[in-house]
Amino acid sequence: MSVKETLAQLKEKMNSNPEGIAGVEKVYQFDLSGEEEGTYQIIFSNDQVEYVEGVHQEPKCTLVMSDKSFLKLVEGNLNPTVAFMSGKLKIKGELGHALKLQSILNKYQ
């Protein structure tokens, strides 16, 4: 599955069952390298989520990784802590925001 398909599927899951994102008002940015290189933002607002390509808002947290690592992360096949410690994942911004994202993703896997 591609990055865009994965993001669309994740958006659909979250918006159809917004309990896991209730009260979250944050913008996360993913700077991906690899075949599907690009910048994607996931915007949490009003108990809904949207994803966009490019930079549209100021992110609270930016995660830098390969497209393959991103797909594994969303699928639950990549431990973010191990990825961070091994250099596969770089975080710009507050680490607490990245931990919040991890807990959100865990609810939708």
Side-chain angles (χ1 to χ4, degrees):
M1 195 177 310
S2 75
V3 169
K4 290 178 189 175
E5 289 170 335
T6 300
L7 286 169
Q9 191 176 67
L10 188 61
K11 173 188 161 183
E12 189 176 308
K13 275 187 202 175
M14 289 179 174
N15 287 340
S16 65
N17 183 14
E19 289 176 21
I21 59 172
V24 179
E25 299 285 327
K26 289 182 176 47
V27 176
Y28 290 95
Q29 182 168 306
F30 294 89
D31 291 340
L32 304 182
S33 58
E35 291 177 22
E36 295 184 77
E37 182 176 340
T39 298
Y40 301 87
Q41 287 190 329
I42 298 178
I43 303 164
F44 293 95
S45 180
N46 298 319
D47 297 344
Q48 291 289 292
V49 66
E50 186 63 52
Y51 89 88
V52 293
E53 288 185 59
V55 178
H56 294 265
Q57 295 185 30
E58 186 70 29
K60 289 285 185 189
C61 182
T62 300
L63 292 89
V64 181
M65 66 181 76
S66 72
D67 53 356
K68 292 189 182 352
S69 291
F70 170 79
L71 294 172
K72 288 179 184 176
L73 177 74
V74 173
E75 293 165 358
N77 297 324
L78 177 71
N79 181 314
T81 305
V82 172
F84 179 74
M85 297 302 234
S86 66
K88 290 182 180 178
L89 166 63
K90 293 183 176 83
I91 298 170
K92 298 177 186 173
E94 289 185 40
L95 190 57
H97 294 304
L99 294 172
K100 176 66 177 170
L101 180 62
Q102 178 184 356
S103 70
I104 292 169
L105 291 176
N106 287 341
K107 292 174 185 169
Y108 292 97
Q109 290 171 344

